[in-house]
């Protein structure tokens, strides 16, 4: 996938300036522009996945892009489960990828009780 970004001055709806910002993804600086979502900054920098599924560990990034699914969740400045496609990036944001293991089945978290 090739990243393509139009200059902010070419925006037909709200032409703007290209104010740079920098976020940190797991300790690596990533550059973007004011007004971009976290997902937009990451995709624009060539980062396609930033989460792994709990069950199989498969890579995930943006799926729906409108905040309906949870494929793009990240931790932002210590706050977990933020949808990267919905949150605008701010200069200095600290983004951490998320991966949560599935809980071990117990009778406490099984609503149907012991099935054996």
């Amino acid at each position: 996938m090739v990243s393509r970004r139009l200059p902010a001055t070419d925006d037909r709806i709200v032409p703007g300036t290209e104010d740079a910002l920098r976020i940190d993804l797991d300790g690596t600086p990533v550059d973007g522009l004011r007004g971009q979502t976290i997902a937009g900054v990451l995709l624009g920098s060539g980062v396609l996945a930033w989460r792994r599924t709990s069950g199989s560990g498969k890579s995930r990034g943006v799926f729906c892009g409108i905040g309906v699914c949870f494929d793009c969740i990240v931790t932002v400045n210590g706050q977990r489960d933020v949808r990267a496609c919905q949150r605008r990036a701010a200069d200095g944001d600290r983004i951490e990828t998320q991966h949560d293991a599935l809980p071990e089945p117990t009778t406490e978290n099984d609503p149907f009780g012991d099935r054996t």
Side-chain angles (χ1 to χ4, degrees):
M1 180 173 147
V2 175
S3 169
R4 295 192 177 131
R5 182 179 57 83
L6 295 174
T9 53
D10 289 354
D11 187 330
R12 294 180 182 160
I13 298 171
V14 184
T17 60
E18 294 195 354
D19 297 331
L21 61 81
R22 178 172 281 176
I23 62 175
D24 179 276
L25 175 65
D26 292 331
T28 302
V30 181
D31 294 322
L33 298 173
R34 183 178 56 85
Q36 287 182 301
T37 62
I38 292 169
V41 171
L42 297 176
L43 290 171
S45 297
V47 179
L48 301 180
W50 49 84
R51 185 179 81 79
R52 297 211 172 267
T53 59
S54 297
S56 63
K58 292 187 178 183
S59 299
R60 293 290 186 261
V62 172
F63 178 70
C64 74
I66 59 173
V68 176
C69 74
F70 295 89
D71 274 355
C72 68
I73 60 172
V74 291
T75 299
V76 180
N77 302 325
Q79 181 179 355
R80 292 179 44 81
D81 302 328
V82 175
R83 291 180 182 111
C85 70
Q86 294 290 293
R87 166 81 156 56
R88 289 198 189 267
D91 193 42
D93 275 346
R94 292 178 338 277
I95 313 300
E96 299 171 42
T97 55
Q98 283 189 215
H99 174 74
D100 299 317
L102 290 173
E104 291 296 321
T106 67
T107 56
E108 294 171 8
N109 64 15
D110 182 355
F112 301 105
D114 185 13
R115 296 181 193 196
T116 58

